[in-house]
Amino acid sequence: MEFKNVFVVGKGRVALECAKIARSKFKNVELLNLDDMQDKDAFFNELKNTFIISANNFYIFKSQCVLNNFIINYHNSLLPSHRGMNAHIWSIWSGDTKSGISWHEVENTIDTGRILIQKEIAIEDMSAKELLLAQHKAAIFAFDELLNSGFDAKFKVIHTSWGGGELHKRCELPNAGVLDLSWEFQKLVRFLKAFDVGVFRKIPYPKVSVLGGFVDILYYEIGDGFVNLSLENGQKLNIIKEQK
């Protein structure tokens, strides 16, 4: 494939590593951080015959750009599951036994388009931050494999287009971000691990209702049959698993 320009759009480890890999295959590869770009639509809509690699990028490419260029996107789920925002969080909360990553061609709808390559990850007892780190690693290796293949047809086309798969919006959080103390024990654990995003926190802290008000949960500890919560107000809650 020959392109006039090659842009990696995004930031963080995945974007940086993808830029390095792309530079081994293409000339004039540029890593774009869109935070400082004033008119993104005008810039992207003027591009033609450009290879755009979207990695940890939240800008939505408009129809003109999609039509005139070849755009691929990294998404941290096994599409079509968990389209949209915070897929790692929703995967933990949903009790999925496996997750993974997808590189797919970009269409005019969110996280659809021909899937180029996917990698599965067994979730086991991961938190959201642990899953996201595993996804970042898998995404980098998959991108390298994809470029080395020359986008060969050996990569199975899983979907060319679909309307399925739940779409999570930026403003949505599991149970609106509130832990319900009446839940069964494993559901409590899933909720806490889903909100355990570590340094990748771009969501509010989870909350719990105490004496009629909502208080942030800052830390948690999960043991054999118990959960300890450390709250923003300095209070601690101990939750014991009911014995059957």
Side-chain angles (χ1 to χ4, degrees):
M1 295 184 180
E2 293 186 6
F3 300 100
K4 183 178 179 181
N5 301 293
V6 178
F7 291 123
V8 179
V9 181
K11 52 187 176 180
R13 182 188 173 203
V14 177
L16 286 170
E17 293 298 324
C18 287
K20 290 180 184 178
I21 294 167
R23 288 184 180 115
S24 69
K25 304 293 181 183
F26 302 99
K27 297 179 180 179
N28 301 322
V29 175
E30 185 175 350
L31 176 61
L32 297 180
N33 184 339
L34 302 188
D35 289 347
D36 300 324
M37 187 176 292
Q38 296 299 316
D39 194 339
K40 302 175 184 66
D41 290 350
F43 175 81
F44 286 108
N45 286 341
E46 290 177 0
L47 297 179
K48 291 184 179 180
N49 191 30
T50 294
F51 181 23
I52 301 174
I53 301 151
S54 172
N56 286 340
N57 158 57
F58 303 108
Y59 172 76
I60 298 175
F61 299 98
K62 305 305 182 287
S63 298
Q64 184 175 336
C65 181
V66 173
L67 179 65
N68 292 329
N69 303 282
F70 180 51
I71 310 174
I72 67 172
N73 178 63
Y74 154 54
H75 185 71
N76 62 324
S77 80
L78 294 174
L79 290 172
S81 295
H82 302 302
R83 296 164 51 224
M85 295 294 297
N86 299 317
H88 56 308
I89 293 171
W90 288 102
S91 190
I92 299 293
W93 168 243
S94 300
D96 297 344
T97 58
K98 65 180 180 180
S99 182
I101 65 95
S102 305
W103 282 97
H104 67 95
E105 292 183 18
V106 170
E107 293 184 330
N108 289 321
T109 47
I110 296 173
D111 295 329
T112 64
R114 187 168 70 101
I115 294 175
L116 301 167
I117 187 170
Q118 290 185 316
K119 298 292 182 182
E120 290 187 0
I121 298 169
I123 293 178
E124 298 177 341
D125 61 348
M126 286 182 178
S127 65
K129 68 183 176 187
E130 292 168 332
L131 175 57
L132 190 62
L133 286 170
Q135 288 171 326
H136 287 176
K137 183 177 180 180
I140 294 163
F141 279 109
F143 180 74
D144 186 50
E145 185 177 349
L146 187 62
L147 256 61
N148 282 327
S149 77
F151 297 90
D152 192 275
K154 71 179 181 180
F155 291 105
K156 182 173 67 173
V157 176
I158 302 173
H159 292 279
T160 53
S161 184
W162 66 81
E166 60 275 64
L167 176 62
H168 305 296
K169 297 180 181 179
R170 185 186 297 270
C171 61
E172 295 175 338
L173 293 171
N175 202 48
V178 178
L179 183 144
D180 187 335
L181 293 174
S182 69
W183 286 336
E184 55 90 16
F185 189 77
Q186 289 305 319
K187 189 172 183 179
L188 285 167
V189 170
R190 287 203 317 271
F191 179 88
L192 292 168
K193 287 190 172 184
F195 279 84
D196 185 358
V197 294
V199 297
F200 304 106
R201 181 163 300 283
K202 295 182 179 179
I203 60 171
Y205 282 96
K207 299 180 183 297
V208 64
S209 178
V210 177
L211 299 176
F214 292 104
V215 182
D216 286 354
I217 302 169
L218 301 184
Y219 307 102
Y220 71 94
E221 177 190 7
I222 298 173
D224 186 12
F226 71 88
V227 169
N228 292 330
L229 304 179
S230 297
L231 308 182
E232 182 184 25
N233 61 3
Q235 188 175 356
K236 296 185 183 296
L237 290 180
N238 181 254
I239 304 168
I240 306 297
K241 181 179 181 181
E242 291 186 5
Q243 300 297 322
K244 296 183 178 180

